[in-house]
Amino acid sequence: MRTLNGFWCFLLQYVALSVVLSGCVATADNIPSVPTHNMSHKERNELKEEAREMFYHAYRAYMEKAYPADELMPLSCTGRYRGITPSRGDLDDVLGNFSMTLVDTLDTLVILGDLEEFERAVRLVIKDVKFDNDIIVSVFETNIRMVGGLLSAHILAEYVQKQADVMMWYRGELLEMAKDLGYRLLPAFNTSTGIPHARVNLKHGMKVEALRHSRETCTACAGTILLEFAALSRLSGEPIFEAKAHAAMDALWKMRHRSSDLMGTVLNVHSGDWIRRESGVGAGIDSYYEYCLKSYILLGDERYLARFNRHYNAIMKYISQGPMLLDVQMHRPHTKTRNFMDALLAFWPGLQVLSGDLKPAVQTHEMLYQVMQMHTFIPEAFTYDFQVHWGQHHLRPEFIESTYFLYRATGDHYYLQAGKKALKALQKHAKVPCGYAAVNDVRTGKHEDRMDSYVLSETFKYLYLLFSDPSDLLLNIENFIFTTEAHLLPLTLGQLGNHTFNIKEHEEGNMLDFMRSCPSPNKLFPETVRRPLRDLVTGVCPRISSAKRLRAADFQASNADHLRTVYDMGITMVSLGEGKVQLLHSFYNAKSPEDAERGLIFMQEMVELSKSNAIPKTQLQEVSFQRSGEELQVLKAGPSHFGPELTGDMSISQRAVFASPSKVCTSLKNSKELKGKIAILERGDCTFVDKARRVQSAGSIAAIVYDNTPNTSIDNQQMFAMSGDGRDDVKIPVVFLFTREAEVLLAAVKSDPNLEITLRAVKELSDLHSPESTNAHSQKKTESARTSSSSSSSSSSSSSESKSNKP
């Protein structure tokens, strides 16, 4: 068992290493933070009312500009209809021309206490919404948004009848509509496994040509049915819905990997074979885990508690890496599968709160909060060093949902302050005259003509609940459970007993499945967990002595014994794409506790190694040319760790030719033109050394790689040396130009294709000893230690083909 101090040492080391390796200059002093003092009742009430106004700004825009369409297009101020507005491909499978946003929003009106508008909206739904549409829809989305919305509204309509003596005319019409829609989804469940198809036609079931070859679905799509279908069965007395949903969950459970207890993300509904074996807690699988736990809470069926605990233990063992959740292969759980996390995993801390495991919930929420502060919103996907991978932000609710549950569990006003920051970001950056528009790219703030129904159903609902007191609500929220779409289902459904469908299944398992102990201290505990995360680059671990341990300065990535040693210490190398590799340390992966401690020291030494002032043995290069009647142009360029290095008086002069395609990651189209010439090629998509090999094969005598990021220059960036992969087969010199220097060269060559270009070493070495250059050399030394393609000398500098090599 790892100690608390040892764990935080690991976390500090890991994140510090990530910061150094990515070229970041962030320190604990400039990491944004929020006040931790208690929020006044006055301010909290003002934020509650602001959340209410946000809801109505969006709701009225939908009702006035879009209804009865499924969604509002907030930039166009009009409705989005299936088959009428331009198609967005599979994204439109959520639409069924059944006024989805209004149905999805009904129970939010009750949360807000607006019974008058709730009654008007229920009348509209009963009058206008029809399901006999020849439209193919997503089974998953239709279930959680439409079936769940109708059921929750039905339950609340009957509730306000009894509690407030309103809507006395209501006679269960919404329940009948939910049952009608449920039957239209049932044909999707006619598979040999019992796992439903991803899509179904509302009018013709599966009997349409477009669905003839339907095979694939995601784990979350198949495993996020039971709450709504069980509620539908128990409210309507029709057992078929709950029976089908249980069968789908049972089939999924049998498909887990028996060794790791992990699930993949995409499967074949007929054969049960996994199509994608990546396992995480984000897109494609997220709500399956949620429904395992919530099915136990709502229905009292202990097999779902057993399943959740088995899955949860596996996730915490293989996927959880400190505050981060990194996807792995379900059948090879020590193998990471991608270099980014997606925004959907932000629901996970809320689920951990529900399960009682508070500490890792606080930890992951804090990591997500730092990402949000860095980019204003949590981007749709972000890398391990918190940079944008996919820049969209669709106004998702998951982070606010977890913030709400953490506040309810701890009473810590820190989460009110975090919620306030999220609220103000929406007001400043997403509000438009017709509602709230999704952000197309968090880096630019550009809007997208999109406002999903969950913005009203979840995002604003959780914001309002976060700032509300229990006395502000018409109902006791403790008596309900939220579905994945934040619809309310009463816990009394479980008290009815499963009279519609009763299975006693004897599954393999043991008492450990029911005995997970999750301590949940209150009040001050979250702050003690968050503090090390906010100071994540400042801690230093105690050292332990070991005469035989491998030191970072001696590490050689090409040495098999060294690789085996770091593996035993719990250190793995994760490919981040584009030739970059990151070191990860985990106590779980270490051969022994002693090896794990050595791994901590090794990681700290890597950080210290990056701060070394040693000057690498590389020579800055230059690219020069002189046009007729003009002065000599000299552009400083970076060297490479492959191919011959131009030193002293060595030089190469020749015409330059642009390679096609420019990034040279596929076969060249102009090999003959490149023969005997200097090739000019663009950075990106593949490694530097692979580009060099291709132009060398075409007969080029040298190559110039230019940057693909706007406005970079040797005046504002740290120069680096391009890395190889350990093979010594490149025989031509290759140099690197930042964008601004490259623009001068490219313009000259385009205007004069016969212009002679010269490559040589920079004569003045004084530039290499400047403070800025020293930082660059420190970075290059670290790159050598972390890149599998580094040379055998640990003091060699190298950089992989990745933008994160730059500050």
Side-chain angles (χ1 to χ4, degrees):
M1 172 158 314
R2 46 189 187 178
T3 63
L4 181 62
N5 289 338
F7 170 76
W8 284 117
C9 285
F10 147 67
L11 183 60
L12 293 167
Q13 302 292 349
Y14 168 71
V15 183
L17 186 65
S18 292
V19 171
V20 172
L21 295 187
S22 64
C24 294
V25 294
T27 68
D29 294 333
N30 60 31
I31 292 174
S33 61
V34 295
T36 57
H37 61 266
N38 282 358
M39 182 179 287
S40 68
H41 179 75
K42 179 177 181 292
E43 183 179 9
R44 188 177 173 188
N45 191 61
E46 289 172 350
L47 289 168
K48 178 191 73 176
E49 292 306 313
E50 187 170 1
R52 182 197 299 274
E53 287 306 311
M54 293 169 73
F55 169 83
Y56 280 112
H57 176 69
Y59 177 75
R60 289 171 185 143
Y62 167 75
M63 294 302 293
E64 293 169 7
K65 304 294 185 181
Y67 182 80
D70 281 325
E71 291 179 349
L72 167 70
M73 294 193 291
L75 302 183
S76 305
C77 283
T78 187
R80 188 184 301 281
Y81 291 89
R82 185 75 171 270
I84 298 176
T85 47
S87 173
R88 300 173 297 172
D90 291 346
L91 191 61
D92 282 346
D93 285 348
V94 70
L95 309 177
N97 290 345
F98 38 33
S99 303
M100 180 178 62
T101 293
L102 182 58
V103 173
D104 211 5
T105 302
L106 291 173
D107 57 5
T108 308
L109 293 167
V110 179
I111 293 289
L112 295 172
D114 191 349
L115 298 187
E116 181 179 348
E117 181 60 23
F118 175 66
E119 181 172 7
R120 184 179 83 93
V122 169
R123 288 186 183 274
L124 281 175
V125 168
I126 295 171
K127 178 174 69 74
D128 296 340
V129 175
K130 301 292 184 291
F131 301 124
D132 192 31
N133 306 326
D134 187 8
I135 292 176
I136 294 173
V137 298
S138 162
V139 174
F140 163 73
E141 297 286 5
T142 303
N143 174 64
I144 66 171
R145 303 197 199 199
M146 294 296 297
V147 176
L150 290 168
L151 289 175
S152 182
H154 162 72
I155 290 162
L156 295 179
E158 291 194 336
Y159 181 87
V160 299
Q161 277 184 334
K162 298 173 183 177
Q163 301 297 321
D165 290 327
V166 297
M167 296 182 66
M168 303 309 293
W169 55 268
Y170 180 73
R171 292 293 183 272
E173 291 88 346
L174 295 178
L175 177 58
E176 288 302 311
M177 294 176 69
K179 187 166 68 171
D180 175 25
L181 183 55
Y183 275 115
R184 294 177 185 275
L185 298 181
L186 283 183
F189 290 80
N190 294 331
T191 63
S192 55
T193 61
I195 295 171
H197 289 276
R199 300 182 298 159
V200 69
N201 186 288
L202 289 175
K203 189 169 187 175
H204 303 294
M206 299 301 297
K207 298 178 180 179
V208 292
E209 182 62 30
L211 298 177
R212 182 180 299 277
H213 301 293
S214 173
R215 295 289 185 273
E216 299 179 8
T217 193
C218 69
T219 305
C221 302
T224 313
I225 305 289
L226 183 53
L227 292 187
E228 291 83 2
F229 269 34
L232 181 55
S233 281
R234 297 185 184 206
L235 291 170
S236 69
E238 298 286 346
I240 185 66
F241 303 109
E242 187 170 352
K244 291 291 187 181
H246 278 298
M249 291 293 277
D250 292 343
L252 286 173
W253 172 247
K254 292 173 183 176
M255 291 174 61
R256 76 193 186 284
H257 192 270
R258 297 304 176 97
S259 175
S260 70
D261 278 331
L262 294 174
M263 305 285 284
T265 53
V266 179
L267 54 104
N268 185 305
V269 299
H270 294 301
S271 68
D273 294 333
W274 288 107
I275 296 169
R276 292 186 58 181
R277 295 171 178 261
E278 297 93 333
S279 188
V281 298
I285 196 170
D286 49 355
S287 49
Y288 163 71
Y289 295 129
E290 181 182 0
Y291 272 40
C292 281
L293 179 59
K294 290 183 176 179
S295 293
Y296 166 70
I297 295 171
L298 182 66
L299 307 177
D301 192 330
E302 290 188 345
R303 60 180 152 162
Y304 293 110
L305 176 62
R307 293 174 186 180
F308 173 78
N309 281 334
R310 291 274 287 275
H311 287 317
Y312 187 78
N313 290 333
I315 290 166
M316 298 307 288
K317 180 177 181 180
Y318 299 117
I319 294 172
S320 176
Q321 297 282 342
M324 291 184 265
L325 296 156
L326 314 180
D327 281 18
V328 301
Q329 292 284 3
M330 60 176 283
H331 58 299
R332 292 198 298 270
H334 295 293
T335 303
K336 304 296 185 287
T337 60
R338 63 184 189 180
N339 67 328
F340 62 89
M341 293 174 276
D342 63 70
L344 285 170
L345 64 76
F347 89 102
W348 185 250
L351 189 64
Q352 290 181 306
V353 170
L354 197 60
S355 73
D357 205 1
L358 190 60
K359 177 182 168 182
V362 170
Q363 179 181 316
T364 296
H365 180 276
E366 181 64 20
M367 178 272 292
L368 292 165
Y369 186 46
Q370 290 194 30
V371 173
M372 189 194 86
Q373 293 179 93
M374 185 180 294
H375 301 294
T376 305
F377 297 108
I378 296 177
E380 190 70 359
F382 54 93
T383 60
Y384 297 162
D385 52 1
F386 303 163
Q387 302 305 305
V388 174
H389 183 77
W390 297 329
Q392 305 93 330
H393 176 73
H394 297 147
L395 315 184
R396 294 194 183 278
E398 285 80 12
F399 176 76
I400 299 170
E401 173 187 357
S402 288
T403 304
Y404 165 70
F405 281 112
L406 273 164
Y407 175 69
R408 293 297 302 275
T410 66
D412 189 343
H413 281 224
Y414 180 87
Y415 297 108
L416 295 179
Q417 300 288 356
K420 174 184 175 180
K421 198 167 188 71
L423 181 151
K424 295 299 183 182
L426 288 169
Q427 289 285 66
K428 182 176 181 180
H429 300 286
K431 188 175 183 179
V432 294
C434 289
Y436 289 80
V439 178
N440 184 259
D441 194 320
V442 298
R443 291 163 292 196
T444 65
K446 180 182 177 182
H447 286 135
E448 185 176 341
D449 202 5
R450 171 178 179 178
M451 189 182 83
D452 291 84
S453 68
Y454 56 67
V455 177
L456 290 168
S457 174
E458 298 184 76
T459 305
F460 294 139
K461 180 185 291 174
Y462 281 124
L463 272 177
Y464 181 83
L465 287 171
L466 175 63
F467 299 114
S468 298
D469 286 321
S471 59
D472 296 329
L473 306 176
L474 292 176
L475 45 84
N476 184 354
I477 211 75
E478 300 289 346
N479 294 332
F480 295 83
I481 192 168
F482 289 107
T483 68
T484 195
E485 190 73 7
H487 293 309
L488 286 81
L489 297 178
L491 296 175
T492 51
L493 281 174
Q495 297 172 6
L496 298 176
N498 195 357
H499 62 277
T500 59
F501 185 65
N502 191 7
I503 285 183
K504 294 296 183 183
E505 179 182 354
H506 300 284
E507 298 175 334
E508 56 182 282
N510 54 60
M511 286 301 294
L512 291 177
D513 293 342
F514 304 95
M515 293 175 64
R516 180 174 176 84
S517 176
C518 301
S520 299
N522 269 331
K523 304 299 180 186
L524 298 178
F525 177 73
E527 173 62 17
T528 66
V529 176
R530 289 192 303 263
R531 188 180 296 112
L533 283 160
R534 289 203 297 275
D535 301 334
L536 40 78
V537 296
T538 61
V540 178
C541 286
R543 295 179 174 275
I544 62 172
S545 60
S546 174
K548 297 182 179 180
R549 69 176 181 84
L550 175 65
R551 299 180 182 277
D554 300 325
F555 174 69
Q556 298 176 8
S558 59
N559 187 311
D561 291 333
H562 287 184
L563 293 176
R564 190 178 303 109
T565 300
V566 297
Y567 182 81
D568 288 343
M569 292 190 294
I571 298 170
T572 55
M573 291 185 178
V574 179
S575 174
L576 302 184
E578 299 183 334
K580 187 168 68 171
V581 175
Q582 190 171 50
L583 299 178
L584 296 175
H585 181 260
S586 169
F587 273 80
Y588 284 121
N589 295 339
K591 188 175 181 180
S592 68
E594 292 76 16
D595 286 311
E597 293 294 332
R598 294 187 185 100
L600 290 177
I601 294 175
F602 184 88
M603 297 290 274
Q604 176 63 25
E605 287 181 349
M606 279 294 185
V607 176
E608 293 172 352
L609 189 65
S610 72
K611 299 174 183 177
S612 167
N613 290 327
I615 302 299
K617 299 176 181 178
T618 53
Q619 174 74 60
L620 202 63
Q621 308 287 288
E622 70 176 37
V623 177
S624 62
F625 59 88
Q626 186 170 16
R627 301 172 66 178
S628 177
E630 297 182 5
E631 293 183 357
L632 178 70
Q633 287 274 9
V634 178
L635 308 171
K636 290 183 180 178
S640 65
H641 275 306
F642 51 86
E645 186 177 356
L646 298 175
T647 59
D649 295 327
M650 295 172 59
S651 66
I652 290 181
S653 298
Q654 184 52 267
R655 286 173 47 208
V657 174
F658 291 97
S660 178
S662 63
K663 292 184 178 178
V664 196
C665 293
T666 55
S667 299
L668 287 162
K669 299 178 181 178
N670 62 337
S671 297
K672 293 181 179 179
E673 298 174 30
L674 293 172
K675 187 173 183 179
K677 305 297 188 297
I678 298 174
I680 300 179
L681 38 138
E682 184 182 0
R683 177 183 191 173
D685 293 350
C686 60
T687 62
F688 291 120
V689 69
D690 284 342
K691 299 174 188 289
R693 289 189 180 110
R694 287 192 174 92
V695 296
Q696 176 179 270
S697 296
S700 294
I701 61 172
I704 302 170
V705 181
Y706 63 89
D707 202 3
N708 59 356
T709 301
N711 298 319
T712 61
S713 168
I714 196 167
D715 296 326
N716 61 27
Q717 301 289 314
Q718 297 175 348
M719 184 53 77
F720 58 86
M722 297 177 287
S723 69
D725 56 10
R727 293 163 55 190
D728 188 22
D729 58 348
V730 176
K731 306 302 180 185
I732 63 173
V734 183
V735 301
F736 178 84
L737 286 176
F738 283 120
T739 305
R740 290 183 186 173
E741 287 76 23
E743 288 172 349
V744 176
L745 173 67
L746 303 187
V749 173
K750 288 177 181 177
S751 65
D752 183 5
N754 294 315
L755 184 66
E756 186 174 85
I757 310 296
T758 299
L759 307 184
R760 61 163 59 93
V762 171
K763 298 295 184 183
E764 300 81 19
L765 295 179
S766 59
D767 290 339
L768 292 176
H769 296 272
S770 65
E772 293 81 1
S773 187
T774 297
N775 290 335
H777 302 326
S778 299
Q779 178 189 352
K780 289 190 284 184
K781 193 164 186 179
T782 303
E783 292 284 358
S784 175
R786 69 159 170 142
T787 307
S788 61
S789 59
S790 58
S791 64
S792 60
S793 172
S794 65
S795 64
S796 297
S797 58
S798 65
S799 171
S800 60
E801 165 62 332
S802 171
K803 294 179 183 177
S804 61
N805 290 324
K806 299 178 290 184

